[in-house]
Amino acid sequence: MKKVLCLLLASFLFQVVGLSQAGTPIVVKPDAGAPIINKHIYGHFAEHLGRCIYGGFYVGDSSTIPNTAGVRNDIVNALKELEIPNLRWPGGCFADTYHWKDGIGPKEERPTIVNQWWGGVTEDNSFGTHDFLNLCELLNTEPYLAGNVGSGTVQELADWVQYVNFSGTSPMSDLRKENGREEPWKVKYWGVGNEAWGCGGHMRAEYYADVYRKYATFMSGANIEGGLYKVASGASSNDYHWTEVIMKNVPHHLLQGVALHHYSVIDWNNKGPAVDFQEEHYFKIMQKAWEMEELVSKHVAIMDKYDPEKKVDLIVDEWGGWYDVEEGTNPGFLYQQNTMRDAMLAGVTLNIFNNHADRVKMANLAQAVNVLQAVILTDEEKMLLTPTYHVMKMYKVHHDAQLLPVTFDSPEYSLKGESLPAISVSASRGKNGQVHISLVNIDAAKTNAVEIDLNSLGIKELTATALTSEKLQDHNTFDDPEKIKPAPFKNFKMSKKGVIKIELPPFSVVMLEEVK
């Protein structure tokens, strides 16, 4: 309540006397050669992990929870609001133990599988290829299938490609039709294994490069305009050697994307709480979030060395915050709450991806429902939208918009002798010509003022939306699901000289929108 009163007072003083402090100058200029921010940067991830699929997306068609073929209608509607461009499935680590033929045909005849990576639970394979691809059709989103390289075979993956994509007569397309699907789904995006350096087989980069070449050779792009889009299992965070080997040893005509995985986690043995954290822990998580800038820059530099024409894309298909699970939940289910800290993490990361849109063409937040930095949490029939969901929704205006390059010197957010950039910014102009500027202030206590010269953009009027709260630890609960949600933001002023002055509250995300 105290913070709300302070914000109201600040708004009143602002309207009476204007901004009282000089702001950080931010320059946003149009550039005809700037890249398009690929909408696939805003992708999501659904692994067979904890309650992401079973008890999350999928409740079965006999459930009293409103559903379509067993998939929750409220989750579908919420994700459609985000306009999610793609959804990655079935893993993650689970992908390299998954045999797709076990998940087709009559549900009562499907064999079970023990999820050896996540909780040791037995799954009945009732959610399989048809269920997932039909879900993607409900969502109007592109499926991104992760193929089994670790425990599967070349033939198994080649058959899966044919099963979902081939429209002619073949053993696999005939099998698909027998299982009730006449027309192929035309799945374009394929991951060739997952984390081959770890749970995907603990391979050396040199060995995996050869494995990739073999698998990719036998994956046919039948019925897919432009062929399949194949993504190599990529590096973990700062393993630059891995990227170097893939770019050097894999012929680029076999390779459309190279993955990168990076989680904001401080200590894998002591990740810290998702809610009851101190500012020091928050600061360290923000360090890990900002590390994405360095990682992308250095991996891109390696890619540029071998691919100066930028034909191969960087695909950050796992990212997000990772903390200790909520008390009383299965440690293997990775269920965690989602606070304003996660909103900051999401805003900073998405700005980084936007600003590297020349090479970053897809990314996948881990994960969509009930796992890690989820956008949706469920409890039986209840559902809530997290602060991260709201950031993703605010940022959907950047989908397929042209990047507007931004330059500025950020003020610092300092704690115990260490410092980070306090402000993160990205901007774009949509196909309708409308400009959007997303700003994040990660400082836990300080309001930061900025000034943006809008003359070169031709903007005459703006509106703004903000996501903020009283405490960093604030989160939505099933009893109070709308505690945190975006609201109109008025604490800015535009001068006659075309300069907007705005005060960014502590730990806030603000979206400026041109009025057309």
Side-chain angles (χ1 to χ4, degrees):
M1 188 64 185
K2 181 179 179 182
K3 182 176 179 181
V4 173
L5 292 173
C6 289
L7 287 174
L8 290 173
L9 178 59
S11 177
F12 172 75
L13 293 174
F14 178 90
Q15 294 176 45
V16 174
V17 300
L19 288 170
S20 60
Q21 59 176 304
T24 297
I26 297 176
V27 178
V28 183
K29 287 188 177 181
D31 179 354
I36 300 298
I37 298 171
N38 196 312
K39 67 180 180 180
H40 287 290
I41 284 172
Y42 292 83
H44 292 259
F45 178 27
E47 183 171 4
H48 284 243
L49 198 174
R51 294 189 299 112
C52 184
I53 300 298
Y54 299 109
F57 276 102
Y58 189 74
V59 292
D61 55 13
S62 63
S63 174
T64 57
I65 299 171
N67 67 85
T68 300
V71 173
R72 288 181 66 137
N73 293 339
D74 52 2
I75 289 180
V76 169
N77 292 334
L79 294 179
K80 287 176 75 172
E81 280 289 311
L82 289 187
E83 299 177 17
I84 69 168
N86 68 76
L87 185 61
R88 181 174 180 244
W89 177 86
C93 292
F94 183 83
D96 281 302
T97 61
Y98 182 68
H99 299 283
W100 69 271
K101 290 181 181 178
D102 292 342
I104 60 173
K107 293 184 187 291
E108 65 275 9
E109 297 178 9
R110 299 178 187 179
T112 59
I113 181 176
V114 175
N115 193 329
Q116 68 185 61
W117 291 109
W118 306 118
V121 296
T122 299
E123 300 184 8
D124 63 5
N125 270 312
S126 57
F127 188 90
T129 296
H130 288 248
D131 306 275
F132 174 70
L133 296 180
N134 292 342
L135 164 63
C136 289
E137 288 186 334
L138 284 176
L139 292 170
N140 192 30
T141 194
E142 294 274 3
Y144 174 19
L145 293 178
N148 183 345
V149 170
S151 67
T153 65
V154 172
Q155 187 65 55
E156 182 179 10
L157 184 51
D159 283 349
W160 202 15
V161 173
Q162 188 179 97
Y163 185 87
V164 302
N165 283 350
F166 191 59
S167 60
T169 300
S170 75
M172 290 301 103
S173 57
D174 288 347
L175 180 59
R176 181 191 69 240
K177 293 171 185 177
E178 289 175 17
N179 289 327
R181 175 75 183 200
E182 185 70 24
E183 296 299 320
W185 290 277
K186 297 186 178 180
V187 178
K188 184 178 183 68
Y189 297 98
W190 294 81
V192 184
N194 167 78
E195 295 189 357
W197 40 264
C199 61
H202 289 102
M203 304 180 196
R204 295 177 300 110
E206 293 78 5
Y207 178 79
Y208 172 73
D210 287 339
V211 169
Y212 176 91
R213 291 163 66 126
K214 183 177 181 180
Y215 273 76
T217 297
F218 291 97
M219 296 170 68
S220 169
N223 301 116
I224 300 297
E225 184 178 352
L228 299 183
Y229 188 102
K230 289 167 282 192
V231 180
S233 174
S236 172
S237 294
N238 62 355
D239 185 355
Y240 302 113
H241 172 74
W242 189 279
T243 299
E244 179 108 26
V245 169
I246 299 302
M247 292 301 296
K248 180 180 179 180
N249 291 3
V250 176
H252 293 174
H253 72 276
L254 293 175
L255 183 67
Q256 284 70 51
V258 176
L260 169 65
H261 290 181
H262 176 64
Y263 287 97
S264 293
V265 58
I266 298 171
D267 182 345
W268 287 103
N269 297 313
N270 182 21
K271 302 179 189 72
V275 174
D276 297 322
F277 56 88
Q278 302 299 315
E279 185 180 355
E280 183 177 2
H281 193 274
Y282 166 71
F283 187 89
K284 290 183 180 297
I285 290 294
M286 288 302 101
Q287 284 180 317
K288 290 294 184 178
W290 267 117
E291 189 179 338
M292 186 69 81
E293 173 65 37
E294 176 183 339
L295 295 175
V296 169
S297 297
K298 289 186 176 180
H299 284 289
V300 164
I302 294 168
M303 297 175 76
D304 287 347
K305 175 182 174 182
Y306 295 97
D307 175 32
E309 295 181 357
K310 296 183 183 294
K311 293 182 178 180
V312 180
D313 302 328
L314 182 61
I315 310 298
V316 190
D317 55 16
E318 290 189 28
W319 68 271
W322 195 323
Y323 319 117
D324 292 336
V325 302
E326 295 303 309
E327 187 175 352
T329 65
N330 189 320
F333 283 11
L334 305 188
Y335 177 79
Q336 62 189 41
Q337 251 296 352
N338 196 288
T339 68
M340 281 301 299
R341 171 176 63 181
D342 298 287
M344 299 301 99
L345 196 165
V348 167
T349 302
L350 293 170
N351 282 341
I352 291 170
F353 293 159
N354 288 348
N355 290 325
H356 286 278
D358 61 330
R359 185 69 87 164
V360 179
K361 300 297 183 182
M362 182 187 286
N364 300 81
L365 175 66
Q367 294 186 16
V369 183
N370 289 332
V371 172
L372 298 177
Q373 193 173 340
V375 294
I376 294 170
L377 301 178
T378 67
D379 179 14
E380 301 295 340
E381 76 284 353
K382 298 177 182 178
M383 186 194 81
L384 65 80
L385 308 176
T386 68
T388 299
Y389 176 96
H390 293 304
V391 174
M392 297 289 277
K393 187 173 181 179
M394 292 168 72
Y395 274 53
K396 73 179 183 179
V397 295
H398 291 306
H399 292 195
D400 288 339
Q402 185 177 37
L403 181 71
L404 294 172
V406 177
T407 56
F408 69 105
D409 291 322
S410 175
E412 293 186 339
Y413 167 37
S414 299
L415 186 70
K416 294 187 176 181
E418 296 186 278
S419 295
L420 288 171
I423 296 176
S424 166
V425 185
S426 69
S428 69
R429 190 190 296 274
K431 294 177 180 178
N432 64 352
Q434 192 174 35
V435 170
H436 291 91
I437 304 173
S438 48
L439 305 108
V440 181
N441 176 21
I442 68 168
D443 198 300
K446 180 182 176 184
T447 295
N448 276 298
V450 300
E451 297 182 358
I452 309 173
D453 188 336
L454 302 173
N455 284 291
S456 63
L457 301 175
I459 296 176
K460 303 301 181 184
E461 187 179 356
L462 284 165
T463 61
T465 303
L467 187 73
T468 189
S469 193
E470 295 181 45
K471 298 189 300 180
L472 269 168
Q473 296 81 2
D474 283 348
H475 57 282
N476 293 333
T477 67
F478 295 107
D479 293 327
D480 190 4
E482 296 192 349
K483 179 180 179 67
I484 298 171
K485 62 181 181 179
F489 185 73
K490 302 294 184 181
N491 285 4
F492 65 91
K493 182 177 182 180
M494 194 164 177
S495 72
K496 293 181 180 179
K497 295 182 179 180
V499 175
I500 182 173
K501 298 183 178 182
I502 181 169
E503 289 191 350
L504 303 173
F507 55 94
S508 64
V509 178
V510 175
M511 179 66 72
L512 302 179
E513 179 173 88
E514 179 183 11
V515 176
K516 280 289 191 180

